[in-house]
């Protein structure tokens, strides 16, 4: 729901070395501020957190739509059968959310796997930390054979994830069509 420009600016406000909110909190408690942008060890955590933060809105809407599609009669029938809250959750809610969970995992993997511009923006001085997506993207400067080999290797994990979650994705799409 948020553009990368907004997420990037908010991340900058949080992590800026001299006036960033996180460094102000660290200094308030007597610590010394960190150089978030120049230390490569922090980016292995920052990039996934920022990516999850950017995409959490879409996943929330997907779960909300799945939960709104559950018929109230299913809950009533479960309660008549003596099911408590936990049992209703496990036997009514979770089976409905399973396809959405599979779709969310596949979409999240695709989002993380396709990170190209974010690492290029944030990790300008630390090329050794580039993810595979950036490395394969840079193979386009090589020969055609290397390009095709890189493209095949690049698509293989995404294809395997899709094939694993294919039924969940299709079932999730079919559930949303019924509304």
């Amino acid at each position: 729901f948020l553009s990368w420009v907004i997420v990037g600016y908010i991340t900058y406000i949080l992590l800026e070395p001299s006036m960033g909110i996180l460094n102000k909190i660290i200094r308030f408690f007597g610590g010394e501020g960190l150089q978030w942008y120049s230390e490569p060890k922090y980016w292995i955590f920052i990039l996934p957190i920022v990516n999850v933060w950017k995409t959490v809105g879409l996943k929330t809407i997907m779960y909300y739509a799945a939960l709104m599609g559950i018929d109230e009669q299913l809950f009533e029938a479960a309660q008549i059968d003596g099911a408590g809250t936990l049992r209703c959750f496990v036997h009514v809610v979770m089976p409905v959310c399973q396809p959405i969970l599979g779709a969310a995992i596949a979409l999240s993997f695709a989002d993380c796997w396709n990170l190209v511009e974010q690492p290029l923006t944030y990790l300008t001085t630390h090329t050794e930390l580039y993810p595979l997506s950036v490395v394969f993207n840079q193979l386009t400067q090589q020969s055609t054979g290397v390009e095709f080999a890189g493209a095949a290797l690049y698509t293989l994990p995404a294809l395997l994830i899709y094939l694993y979650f294919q039924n969940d994705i299709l079932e999730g799409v079919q559930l949303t069509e019924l509304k």
Side-chain angles (χ1 to χ4, degrees):
F1 279 37
L2 296 175
S3 77
W4 276 113
V5 174
I6 295 170
V7 170
Y9 186 69
I10 293 172
T11 304
Y12 176 77
I13 290 170
L14 290 171
L15 303 178
E16 203 273 323
S18 60
M19 298 296 292
I21 294 172
L22 286 178
N23 277 339
K24 283 185 178 182
I25 292 171
I26 291 170
R27 287 187 191 107
F28 178 77
F29 288 108
E32 194 171 318
L34 301 172
Q35 297 294 324
W36 301 99
Y37 286 108
S38 60
E39 292 291 326
K41 62 184 174 186
Y42 301 123
W43 285 99
I44 197 162
F45 302 106
I46 293 172
L47 278 177
I49 289 170
V50 168
N51 192 44
V52 167
W53 174 36
K54 182 191 178 300
T55 60
V56 75
L58 174 63
K59 309 305 187 294
T60 302
I61 298 297
M62 290 170 57
Y63 284 116
Y64 180 74
L67 293 173
M68 290 292 100
I70 299 174
D71 191 0
E72 287 292 323
Q73 292 178 350
L74 292 174
F75 290 113
E76 292 172 9
Q79 289 172 346
I80 289 171
D81 289 341
T85 305
L86 181 62
R87 197 168 187 89
C88 282
F89 179 76
V90 170
H91 293 286
V92 177
V93 175
M94 287 305 292
V96 171
C97 287
Q98 185 179 3
I100 300 301
L101 180 63
I105 289 171
L107 288 172
S108 295
F109 176 81
D111 287 342
C112 290
W113 187 247
N114 290 325
L115 287 179
V116 174
E117 61 275 349
Q118 293 81 13
L120 287 173
T121 303
Y122 294 132
L123 302 172
T124 55
T125 58
H126 301 287
T127 57
E128 72 275 4
L129 294 176
Y130 282 168
L132 284 176
S133 57
V134 175
V135 173
F136 285 137
N137 189 28
Q138 291 176 345
L139 285 176
T140 59
Q141 300 164 356
Q142 303 293 324
S143 68
T144 306
V146 173
E147 285 182 39
F148 284 117
L153 287 174
Y154 184 73
T155 57
L156 187 62
L159 179 65
L160 292 174
I161 291 289
Y162 173 75
L163 291 174
Y164 183 78
F165 289 109
Q166 180 181 5
N167 291 336
D168 291 333
I169 293 169
L170 294 176
E171 192 175 331
V173 169
Q174 290 170 351
L175 282 175
T176 56
E177 285 179 0
L178 296 176
K179 296 179 178 48

